């Protein structure tokens, strides 16, 4: 879980605990039992969603290097093949060969 998200969840848990302990007092300020229940529910949902984000982030950390390697291979091969054609074909005809370069 990101530090920021964990910090917000901790602050919300602390607030909920403190307000519950002083519910009779904070009711006079407009805080209701229902408000606290909504916050507790939101905290639980936030924890679940953050766990899902962490799981997916871990999956991506495995996939991203492979994708980056493959894309680098594509860039290199593309540059190589374009270079072979561009040296032998007039630049006015490059587009016919699928080369959109201007120079």
């Amino acid at each position: 879980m990101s530090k920021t998200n964990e910090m917000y969840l901790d602050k919300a848990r602390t607030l909920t605990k403190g307000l519950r302990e002083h519910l009779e007092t904070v009711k006079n300020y407009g805080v209701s039992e229902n408000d606290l229940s909504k916050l507790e529910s939101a905290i639980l949902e936030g924890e679940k969603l953050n766990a899902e984000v962490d799981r997916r982030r871990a999956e991506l950390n495995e996939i991203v290097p492979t994708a980056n390697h493959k894309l680098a291979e594509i860039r290199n091969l593309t540059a190589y093949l374009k270079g072979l054609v561009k040296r032998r074909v007039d630049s006015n005809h490059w587009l016919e060969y699928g080369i959109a370069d201007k120079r």
Side-chain angles (χ1 to χ4, degrees):
M1 182 178 309
S2 77
K3 295 285 185 192
T4 303
N5 291 344
E6 184 61 39
M7 180 185 69
Y8 284 130
L9 289 170
D10 283 343
K11 286 181 178 183
R13 282 187 215 102
T14 302
L15 177 66
T16 303
K17 181 181 176 192
L19 293 177
R20 282 225 180 265
E21 289 174 1
H22 300 284
L23 187 57
E24 290 307 313
T25 303
V26 297
K27 279 184 180 179
N28 297 325
Y29 308 148
V31 177
S32 71
E33 172 75 32
N34 189 38
D35 292 332
L36 295 177
S37 294
K38 285 180 185 178
L39 181 56
E40 288 169 337
S41 176
I43 291 168
L44 291 174
E45 183 67 20
E47 289 171 337
K48 289 177 188 175
L49 291 171
N50 268 316
E52 179 68 13
V53 166
D54 286 344
R55 185 186 66 73
R56 290 184 183 203
R57 188 176 285 131
E59 288 175 5
L60 283 175
N61 285 339
E62 295 174 10
I63 297 169
V64 168
T66 304
N68 287 342
H69 178 73
K70 186 54 70 177
L71 290 171
E73 180 183 328
I74 291 168
R75 279 192 307 273
N76 290 337
L77 188 53
T78 299
Y80 171 73
L81 293 173
K82 285 185 350 183
L84 291 176
V85 174
K86 286 170 73 172
R87 284 186 287 233
R88 291 170 178 85
V89 175
D90 184 75
S91 61
N92 294 325
H93 298 284
W94 286 353
L95 197 54
E96 297 169 23
Y97 291 86
I99 302 171
D101 300 355
K102 300 292 183 194
R103 52 187 174 112

